[in-house]
Amino acid sequence: MYRTAASRAKALKGSLSRSLTPARYASSSAVATSSSSSSSGFFGWLTGGSSSSLTSLDMPLQGVSLPPPLSDHVEPSKLKITTLPNGLKIASEMSPNPAASIGLYVDCGSIYEAPYFHGATHLLERMAFKSTTNRSHLRLVREIEAIGGNTSASASREQMSYTIDALKTYVPAMVEVLIDSVRNPAFLDWEVNEELRKMKVEIAELAKNPMGLLMEAVHSAGYSGALANPLYAHESALDRLNGELLEEFMTENFTAARMVLAASGVEHEELLQVVEPLTSDLPNVPRQGEPKSQYTGGDFRQHTGGEVSMTDLLSLFYVTTVTELFVLLSFQATHFALAFEVPGWNNEKEAVIATVLQMLMGGGGSFSAGGPGKGMHSWLYRRILNEYQQVQSCTAFTSIFNNTGLFGIYGCSSPEFAAKAIELAAKELKDVAGGKVNQKHLDRAKAATKSAVLMNLESRMIAAEDIGRQILTYGERKPVEQFLKTVDGLTLKDITDFTSKIISKPLTMGSFGEVLSVPSYDTVSSKFC
């Protein structure tokens, strides 16, 4: 409609351009002067009278009061934390953003799964925001849509999160929907069965993602105990999972002392008034200790490669996407991961060193959708990807938990180059431990780390998540200035000593695809001696 009106106005303006179009002026005041001096014009012709002078844009409108402008520097809101008598913590900070993000974070992940419960957190993640004892799934979706909300849920090895995001004016409705979804799930049989079918597809898709599969494999191979539990349910466990098992698991683990409700962009008193009546009856159960895990190192291998059959060659002509082509070719390549244990977040300085070291080593793929030059400043990109075209991907990774973690290098190469690629990855770790990194490399990595953290914290959803997860880990939220100060204080000696320390521990190794040419575990381990 607006486009049609605009085109008609242009046609009318064109037909009257000689008599009605004024000269071009540099200011609105000049236009106003011209309008007042003309006895007739376009508006006069349109209304049957003479045009009046235009009101200056600087003139205040009668009866309209403007809000005061924001100052150049806005002090960050102070985080407020309240612990209810049952142990549940409520934390929030204000922000000038018109929207709010609220999350319920639970100290419960796959590490808390006894053998009978394997796969429970994976299914709980998929059952989030389904039917409750108070709402059907349809009603829940309609209520969330009515407030323009956005919901999500995620499960990790140590924690689970349920979040909702909407405008601040809907905070009471957001909190009520969030808590009802977590506290009162109905676990209807048909909804559970539908999600189990989707999980089966998801598990099958994981086999087509070599890097994701290896990230799972190095945890299972590198740890004994709770951290060896898979993040994804085994297909054999799907027949056992049901609504009754989920209810039993939640009753045991979703207790008040293991929950934090965190919000960004919400007044704390307003949040308390809404949350307390909805959660005060949660059982006051003492928080249990985290299940034990022991790092051991180990080896995982899964052979899927071999000679390319005629069927494989013919299938190249029928792929419809780049992803399908990559999946097909990935089974004929060699994927590997080399990992070592690092301290967890409870050892803050060394966890920060691991984060900076990952940024320093960097890496990526030989082809990047980000365009030429993406990541080319990093250690692995310059020393491996730029030098050896047989290496398709090489990147550093970390997986850090409360008390332990993994740091390593993932790579992908042609099968005949696999042994050399693994040797190169080992050499780069030894070179970092041997002091080959200079101050320029470290300064760039420190700046990139700080930039990434500060940019992420600009998101209210990430800010709320940071509040919730830190309180679950530390019992408080440490100021970001403390993290930045730790990063700034790191030296080349810190990087060298840390890398030397971790590569002296047992190696965890994983390989997938064409693995027949991958060296033995003992051979690779000897390269770090």
Side-chain angles (χ1 to χ4, degrees), residues 298-364:
D299 189 17
F300 167 89
R301 296 178 186 231
Q302 183 173 336
H303 181 70
T304 61
E307 295 296 326
V308 181
S309 66
M310 183 57 66
T311 303
D312 293 331
L313 290 174
L314 289 174
S315 63
L316 289 172
F317 294 98
Y318 295 98
V319 295
T320 57
T321 66
V322 174
T323 302
E324 289 180 11
L325 179 61
F326 173 77
V327 168
L328 181 64
L329 295 179
S330 67
F331 285 88
Q332 306 301 327
T334 300
H335 304 263
F336 64 88
L338 309 178
F340 297 91
E341 185 188 24
V342 296
W345 289 115
N346 285 325
N347 186 332
E348 187 180 354
K349 181 177 180 180
E350 293 204 334
V352 170
I353 295 175
T355 305
V356 173
L357 179 59
Q358 180 196 2
M359 194 68 72
L360 185 150
M361 301 203 74

Side-chain angles (χ1 to χ4, degrees), residues 417-456:
F417 197 75
K420 179 65 174 177
I422 292 173
E423 181 183 342
L424 289 170
K427 178 180 180 298
E428 296 312 321
L429 279 172
K430 289 205 70 175
D431 283 351
V432 173
K436 295 291 183 69
V437 175
N438 60 36
Q439 191 63 44
K440 182 179 178 181
H441 298 144
L442 179 58
D443 289 343
R444 184 187 290 119
K446 288 160 66 172
T449 302
K450 293 189 294 182
S451 174
V453 169
L454 292 173
M455 182 176 66
N456 283 333

